[in-house]
């Protein structure tokens, strides 16, 4: 989304967000298997000819999850890989032997030519355009797991936009948590600046407000619909036996992000780290509230009960948390901090570095100054000293100090 809106500051966080997306989707791929209840027959959800004439139930949200997660993984992997192509080419050029062959294979013949950059940017934009609606569709399908049921608290049309906003909200919070750790451990302070982090906090503030609006709308719909079961479900969430979980959710997801209105908090590393953890906790409680409160108190009072997690539930929760650090541990990102000294010389600017260069124009201008000095009978250094601007100008980028050069030449 930031790519499509041409937000240049995304370059400091895009790799972290893309890598976290891949690890999260890998963990998400486990849950259709777990929710199936019979993981040993998981292959039945795949549409393939078989002797038992079994065919997937395409009206089941569980099957929608399979297609959504697999499509999301494919596009996310392509988006991540496309961004790595120039870097893989750099590794190819600096490697030897087998490593050079492997990197060369994945670099896809990249040479850094103008046509390569043009095709690279076009492919990146196209993948970004595919990913944006895919994010909406994936989280919409996840919300359909609940919304297409008839259970009070689940059967509501607000779930799709509610889940999409929550995904962006929790996604930025998780990226913030991991990014701050990497920034500290890998000494990336000059690459991931306070400005980048502040922009992320602004997005967390906006999406957190949208999520809070969705919470209020849920109660309004339950009241306005006149459905007794729906009213009870939401009143029970706020004031029933799970009220503690509901108000933790509201505090973490609605109240806490409002602190980012204050610039001092938006730019404080310890505070933004703590608040990102709070948001992550709040989003976990959101899923807990949605699932447990509706299942614990359904239509039939005789089936009501209080949820007590078993060791299987705890293992299901801890498994993704263990997968993420183990998956990310394969990366080793060496960083070098260096100090440089600029030397003023009497030669023309010859290197563009990171900006649009002007060596040809500079050389032509300097030669014209020499011809002008000969024509008027003046020393070339004296001409430069007299026509130089004596005050700094924002129109002059990376121009050497003319007076100092002229003094040294003379």
């Amino acid at each position: 989304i930031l790519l499509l809106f041409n937000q240049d500051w995304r370059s400091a966080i895009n790799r972290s967000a893309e890598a976290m997306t891949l690890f999260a989707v890998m963990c998400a791929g486990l849950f259709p298997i777990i929710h199936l209840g019979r993981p040993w027959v998981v292959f039945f959800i795949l549409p393939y000819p078989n002797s038992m004439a079994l065919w997937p139930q395409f009206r089941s949200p569980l099957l929608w999850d399979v297609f959504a997660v697999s499509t999301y993984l494919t596009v996310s992997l392509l988006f991540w890989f496309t961004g790595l192509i120039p870097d893989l080419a750099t590794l190819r050029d600096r490697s030897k032997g087998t490593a050079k062959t492997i990197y060369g294979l994945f670099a896809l013949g990249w040479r850094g030519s103008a046509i390569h950059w043009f095709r690279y940017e076009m492919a990146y934009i196209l993948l970004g355009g595919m990913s944006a609606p895919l994010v909406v569709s994936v989280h919409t399908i996840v919300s359909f797991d609940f919304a297409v049921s008839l259970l009070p608290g689940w059967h509501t049309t607000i779930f799709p936009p509610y889940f999409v906003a929550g995904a962006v909200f929790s996604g930025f919070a998780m990226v913030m948590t991991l990014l701050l750790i990497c920034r500290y451990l890998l000494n990336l302070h000059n690459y991931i600046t306070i400005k980048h982090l502040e922009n992320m906090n602004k997005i967390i503030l906006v999406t957190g407000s949208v999520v809070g609006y969705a919470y209020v709308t849920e109660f309004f719909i339950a009241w306005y619909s006149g459905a007794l079961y729906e009213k009870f479900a939401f009143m029970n969430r706020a004031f029933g036996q799970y009220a503690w979980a509901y108000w933790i959710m509201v505090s973490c997801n609605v109240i806490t992000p409002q602190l980012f209105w204050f610039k001092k908090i938006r730019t404080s590393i310890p505070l933004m780290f703590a608040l990102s953890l709070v948001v992550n906790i709040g989003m976990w409680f959101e899923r807990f509230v949605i699932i447990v409160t509706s299942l614990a108190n359904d239509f039939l009072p005789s089936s009501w009960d209080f949820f007590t997690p078993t060791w299987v539930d705890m293992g299901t929760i801890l498994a993704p948390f263990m997968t993420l650090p183990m998956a990310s541990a394969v990366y080793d990102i060496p960083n070098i901090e260096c100090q440089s000294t600029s030397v003023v010389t009497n030669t023309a600017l010859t290197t563009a570095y990171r900006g649009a260069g002007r060596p040809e124009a500079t050389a032509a201008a300097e030669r014209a100054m020499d011809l002008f000095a000969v024509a008027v009978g003046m020393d070339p250094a004296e001409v430069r000293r007299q026509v130089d601007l004596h005050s700094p100008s924002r129109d002059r980028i990376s121009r050497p100090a003319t007076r100092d050069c002229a003094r040294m030449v003379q």
Side-chain angles (χ1 to χ4, degrees):
I1 294 174
L2 295 178
L3 173 67
L4 297 178
F5 282 97
N6 199 27
Q7 298 296 308
D8 294 335
W9 62 271
R10 62 172 286 278
S11 59
I13 66 169
N14 65 325
R15 293 288 173 79
S16 302
E18 291 161 10
M20 192 207 73
T21 299
L22 288 175
F23 300 145
V25 173
M26 284 187 250
C27 294
L30 298 174
F31 285 90
I33 302 174
I34 296 172
H35 294 162
L36 190 64
R38 297 177 176 86
W40 53 90
V41 293
V42 66
F43 54 88
F44 283 172
I45 64 177
L46 302 176
Y48 72 99
N50 59 87
S51 58
M52 300 177 66
L54 291 176
W55 197 249
Q57 175 56 273
F58 286 102
R59 290 179 293 178
S60 170
L62 184 63
L63 189 62
W64 304 346
D65 272 346
V66 173
F67 288 105
V69 170
S70 57
T71 306
Y72 196 29
L73 176 62
T74 303
V75 175
S76 299
L77 189 61
L78 287 174
F79 193 69
W80 171 76
F81 173 73
T82 302
L84 285 177
I85 290 176
D87 298 327
L88 292 170
T90 302
L91 293 172
R92 174 202 61 198
D93 297 337
R94 297 184 180 185
S95 303
K96 297 179 181 179
T98 305
K100 186 179 185 69
T101 303
I102 295 173
Y103 286 132
L105 178 65
F106 286 104
L108 304 179
W110 177 269
R111 294 298 173 190
S113 64
I115 189 64
H116 284 185
W117 278 109
F118 173 76
R119 290 172 177 169
Y120 168 83
E121 291 174 359
M122 287 299 297
Y124 215 44
I125 288 291
L126 288 173
L127 286 171
M130 292 171 58
S131 299
L134 188 62
V135 169
V136 175
S137 66
V138 165
H139 294 288
T140 298
I141 290 173
V142 171
S143 73
F144 283 170
D145 291 348
F146 304 98
V148 299
S149 71
L150 297 178
L151 205 62
W154 289 6
H155 188 62
T156 174
T157 55
I158 197 178
F159 264 26
Y162 170 19
F163 271 55
V164 171
V168 178
F169 178 53
S170 60
F172 267 92
M174 179 58 75
V175 171
M176 175 69 75
T177 302
L178 299 177
L179 208 60
L180 290 175
I181 296 173
C182 293
R183 183 177 184 266
Y184 174 77
L185 295 179
L186 302 175
N187 195 23
L188 297 174
H189 301 81
N190 294 327
Y191 180 69
I192 304 170
T193 65
I194 293 294
K195 185 63 177 177
H196 297 131
L197 300 175
E198 184 181 5
N199 288 339
M200 292 179 65
N201 290 331
K202 290 177 181 179
I203 295 177
I204 292 175
L205 170 61
V206 171
T207 51
S209 300
V210 173
V211 170
Y213 176 77
Y215 292 164
V216 175
T217 305
E218 281 187 314
F219 272 85
F220 173 77
I221 292 174
W223 167 78
Y224 191 72
S225 66
L228 295 178
Y229 295 105
E230 200 74 13
K231 284 183 180 179
F232 171 79
F234 283 96
M235 293 301 293
N236 185 54
R237 282 183 184 180
F239 305 106
Q241 57 184 349
Y242 293 104
W244 56 273
Y246 178 83
W247 291 110
I248 289 176
M249 175 193 75
V250 172
S251 301
C252 294
N253 294 345
V254 181
I255 300 173
T256 298
Q258 302 308 311
L259 296 174
F260 284 134
W261 283 106
F262 303 99
K263 187 176 180 64
K264 287 186 178 180
I265 297 179
R266 287 200 311 267
T267 55
S268 171
I269 299 295
L271 288 178
M272 68 176 75
F273 180 73
L275 293 180
S276 68
L277 289 175
V278 169
V279 170
N280 292 325
I281 294 171
M283 289 305 294
W284 184 89
F285 269 99
E286 178 187 282
R287 296 302 188 265
F288 179 86
V289 168
I290 290 174
I291 296 171
V292 173
T293 57
S294 292
L295 291 176
N297 303 99
D298 56 6
F299 293 102
L300 193 62
S302 61
S303 66
W304 290 2
D305 201 354
F306 189 84
F307 171 73
T308 303
T310 65
W311 65 271
V312 178
D313 299 310
M314 298 304 296
T316 306
I317 294 171
L318 293 176
F321 286 100
M322 297 298 103
T323 303
L324 187 60
M326 286 190 292
S328 59
V330 301
Y331 289 95
D332 181 18
I333 310 175
N335 295 277
I336 300 174
E337 181 179 356
C338 63
Q339 295 181 352
S340 60
T341 303
S342 299
V343 180
V344 178
T345 68
N346 63 337
T347 58
L349 184 66
T350 58
T351 306
Y353 290 99
R354 290 185 176 272
R358 53 178 184 176
E360 297 85 0
T362 303
E366 295 298 327
R367 180 57 181 157
M369 292 292 291
D370 291 336
L371 295 175
F372 173 81
V374 173
V376 298
M378 292 181 63
D379 181 73
E382 182 63 22
V383 171
R384 287 171 170 79
R385 184 163 52 247
Q386 290 189 15
V387 301
D388 179 51
L389 295 173
H390 295 282
S391 59
S393 171
R394 67 177 61 185
D395 297 328
R396 296 186 295 162
I397 303 175
S398 301
R399 178 174 177 179
T402 307
R403 284 175 294 166
D404 294 339
C405 291
R407 189 183 307 112
M408 287 188 292
V409 170
Q410 193 175 31

